[in-house]
Amino acid sequence: VCSSDLDDFLHDLFVLLLPWICGSAFAATRFFLLSNYGTKNFLAHNIFFITLGIGLGGVIKTILTHPGAPFLDHSILSLLKKVKVSPITSYAVRIRGKILGRGDAGQIFSEDMVIQDDSGMIFLDYQHGFSNWFFALFRMEKFMHEDVIVYGWYRRAPVPYIEVKKIEANGEITRSYSFYYQIFFWLLFPILAFLILP
């Protein structure tokens, strides 16, 4: 394994574990700061700070795995040639092509799609938050066999795919709020701990 590959692996591993690294760091720091507290407060405060660290680490992880603008134009073939890509390391891309159909043919509850341009085809991972089934059943048909512009993040896991940020079709823009749902999920940990703990 060359040094560059090892560096990439360690980077991805660090980002992947970031919520638990931050949770451990917050817990260790708070352990010493609250060492003179009673047992009840000691446990409650440490649990809260563990969840606070996990939440903060999760937010940072989500931001790092979703690089911002600019979303650069690519062909599908040019994306498939990129080797330094993973579920953690991604590229912000813009693809123009035609939607061929569902990613899982015949599965009516699948919100994933396949897009094709002149150079090839690739899966689109379109997460519509808590209403994936509703989107798959009632809204996906408007994209079928249409020319679209897709903004998103190119990844491999291990199959190459694009996590969709938004799709432009027939002058309309349909957005995915997966990024914001992930942020909300991580912030939910310390919020629930704050509300529940004494």
Side-chain angles (χ1 to χ4, degrees):
V1 180
C2 69
S3 175
S4 176
D5 290 339
L6 181 60
D7 290 344
D8 293 338
F9 170 77
L10 293 176
H11 167 268
D12 282 6
L13 183 62
F14 175 77
V15 175
L16 181 66
L17 297 178
L18 200 52
W20 321 114
I21 293 172
C22 288
S24 300
F26 272 55
T29 302
R30 201 61 177 171
F31 176 85
F32 293 107
L33 293 178
L34 292 177
S35 59
N36 59 338
Y37 272 55
T39 302
K40 182 178 180 180
N41 284 335
F42 177 81
L43 290 175
H45 280 81
N46 270 281
I47 291 173
F48 172 71
F49 271 79
I50 289 173
T51 59
L52 184 62
I54 291 173
L56 177 61
V59 169
I60 296 172
K61 172 190 170 184
T62 302
I63 293 172
L64 292 177
T65 54
H66 294 80
F71 287 79
L72 301 177
D73 284 309
H74 284 276
S75 68
I76 292 173
L77 181 60
S78 70
L79 290 180
L80 297 178
K81 290 181 178 179
K82 294 183 179 296
V83 293
K84 292 194 174 183
V85 62
S86 70
I88 301 298
T89 301
S90 65
Y91 292 89
V93 301
R94 179 169 59 189
I95 294 290
R96 301 171 188 269
K98 176 174 288 188
I99 300 297
L100 297 183
R102 298 178 185 270
D104 188 357
Q107 175 53 262
I108 63 172
F109 293 104
S110 172
E111 79 285 357
D112 297 335
M113 295 175 278
V114 177
I115 187 173
Q116 182 180 41
D117 67 5
D118 293 335
S119 65
M121 63 180 65
I122 196 170
F123 285 103
L124 299 178
D125 180 22
Y126 189 89
Q127 294 293 327
H128 206 65
F130 301 107
S131 59
N132 284 349
W133 65 270
F134 180 86
F135 174 82
L137 284 174
F138 301 110
R139 300 192 64 188
M140 186 182 290
E141 284 300 322
K142 71 178 183 179
F143 296 115
M144 295 303 173
H145 311 295
E146 295 289 341
D147 292 319
V148 300
I149 303 175
V150 176
Y151 296 76
W153 297 276
Y154 172 60
R155 308 183 190 277
R156 285 181 184 269
V159 177
Y161 70 96
I162 296 173
E163 179 187 343
V164 175
K165 176 181 174 65
K166 65 180 180 180
I167 300 178
E168 295 182 11
N170 297 318
E172 296 182 9
I173 297 177
T174 303
R175 302 180 186 276
S176 168
Y177 295 98
S178 174
F179 172 81
Y180 300 103
Y181 284 125
Q182 290 180 53
I183 295 289
F184 173 77
F185 170 79
W186 289 113
L187 291 178
L188 199 59
F189 281 96
I191 292 173
L192 289 176
F194 178 78
L195 295 175
I196 294 172
L197 293 172

